[in-house]
Amino acid sequence: MAEGDTLVSVDYEIFGKVQGVFFRKYTQAEGKKLGLVGWVQNTDRGTVQGQLQGPVSKVRFMQQWLETRGSPKSHIDRANFNNEKVIANLDYSDFQIVK
């Protein structure tokens, strides 16, 4: 397995104007486009959080997207990524929006 194909899991939380701007929908679409699995949800703190799983090269691309792009009407102040680990298998079969 090539270096960029190693499977990783990482948790994320995005801060800024990320609720009420279709951030979850765009995150789900971008994750699916990249072939990633995981989830995304709004928090009571006004942030968006979730988990990404997939090949490390695709996860890195998605992290960059979450940090700098997001949905067209969003304004991202910062993105926190933690609990990154190498995994043997994916825990999810799809990229879900959690209510």
Side-chain angles (χ1 to χ4, degrees):
M1 193 184 294
E3 170 82 20
D5 293 334
T6 302
L7 294 179
V8 295
S9 175
V10 65
D11 297 339
Y12 61 89
E13 186 168 11
I14 314 301
F15 298 80
K17 183 177 181 356
V18 293
Q19 289 191 5
V21 291
F22 299 102
F23 198 92
R24 291 175 302 165
K25 181 179 163 80
Y26 276 84
T27 299
Q28 179 190 45
E30 188 68 18
K32 285 183 171 192
K33 187 171 89 177
L34 291 170
L36 298 175
V37 298
W39 55 274
V40 59
Q41 74 178 159
N42 286 339
T43 70
D44 294 339
R45 300 179 301 281
T47 63
V48 169
Q49 70 179 7
Q51 187 176 71
L52 304 171
Q53 290 188 349
V56 68
S57 58
K58 305 285 190 189
V59 168
R60 292 288 175 262
F61 189 91
M62 185 69 183
Q63 286 176 297
Q64 180 76 16
W65 185 91
L66 285 167
E67 213 164 6
T68 60
R69 297 265 318 270
S71 65
K73 292 185 190 290
S74 67
H75 178 84
I76 300 160
D77 291 335
R78 76 178 197 275
N80 288 355
F81 300 102
N82 52 44
N83 298 327
E84 183 169 322
K85 58 186 182 247
V86 173
I87 55 175
N89 300 297
L90 300 172
D91 294 327
Y92 310 99
S93 59
D94 203 353
F95 205 104
Q96 298 289 323
I97 294 175
V98 179
K99 301 289 185 205

